[in-house]
Amino acid sequence: SSAASGELGLELAASWAARREEAIRSTGGAPGKFEGCSALAAETRIAYGTLLDLCVARADIKGVEAWYARLMAAGGVPEPRTVLKAVRAFAKDGDIPGAERWLRRAQKLGLELGASGHNAVLAALAKQGSGCSDAAKQAEQWLCRMPKEGVDPDVTSFNIVLNAFARCGMLGDVEGLVEEMSARGVEPDA
């Protein structure tokens, strides 16, 4: 089964990474300190990145955090697609602070996620909250934050909030947001 092969892949990659760490330590500690260690360190970063990617794919939130920490400690940087998947995994799980943390990490590392990462948070916000209008307003606040963070909302961003407003019967807010879309030059998709 794919779950069994995923477990095997995770075990093999973890074992490989542990062997690489031990080899680096046995040559004097810091990767790259001695000749030949820089290639070994690069392989270790690749292994950690692979493990991070596997944990994201499995929605293993604890594993995602653990392998991210090890990747960064080894001097690596996660791939933008992996960070985007992590944002989506946390948002899908309803962990908005976790999704925000990953967005901040992407910004700090200079990784370009575009509107996609913010849209995952928008969608999660639109579905939670103490009530329908509360959730819609939280999503709208997030939408307003995006430009301040250097991210232009796209048609999907607006549609998520428009759908939340419509679902809650907030027609005045729908009209105002459609005007905002137009002012920003975002064309409706339907």
Side-chain angles (χ1 to χ4, degrees):
S1 82
S2 65
S5 65
E7 287 291 325
L8 179 61
L10 191 59
E11 286 176 32
L12 288 172
S15 172
W16 185 78
R19 284 195 312 273
R20 293 293 186 258
E21 276 185 339
E22 181 55 36
I24 290 170
R25 276 194 298 277
S26 71
T27 59
K33 185 174 180 181
F34 298 100
E35 193 171 320
C37 283
S38 61
L40 193 56
E43 289 177 11
T44 301
R45 288 190 295 272
I46 291 168
Y48 289 166
T50 301
L51 287 162
L52 176 61
D53 214 20
L54 284 168
C55 289
V56 166
R58 295 178 50 203
D60 174 2
I61 301 302
K62 288 181 182 177
V64 167
E65 292 292 344
W67 288 111
Y68 172 79
R70 290 178 88 170
L71 173 64
M72 296 305 291
V77 175
E79 294 287 327
R81 65 178 169 72
T82 301
V83 174
L84 180 58
K85 288 177 187 176
V87 171
R88 288 178 176 159
F90 278 86
K92 183 177 180 181
D93 199 40
D95 184 352
I96 303 303
E100 286 184 84
R101 185 173 54 253
W102 278 88
L103 285 173
R104 283 191 306 275
R105 287 174 176 165
Q107 290 169 340
K108 183 178 177 183
L109 294 168
L111 303 176
E112 183 62 43
L113 302 183
S116 297
H118 287 268
N119 289 346
V121 176
L122 271 173
L125 285 169
K127 293 177 185 173
Q128 70 178 33
S130 59
C132 188
S133 62
D134 180 48
K137 286 296 186 181
Q138 285 180 343
E140 180 186 37
Q141 288 170 357
W142 187 269
L143 181 71
C144 292
R145 268 180 60 179
M146 290 173 66
K148 295 173 189 167
E149 294 184 12
V151 178
D152 292 324
D154 60 13
V155 68
T156 302
S157 311
F158 282 100
N159 281 342
I160 291 167
V161 180
L162 285 169
N163 287 332
F165 284 158
R167 188 176 60 250
C168 297
M170 302 167 67
L171 301 182
D173 292 297
V174 167
E175 291 172 9
L177 196 54
V178 168
E179 290 174 13
E180 175 70 19
M181 264 179 93
S182 178
R184 291 188 170 273
V186 177
E187 294 288 324
D189 61 354

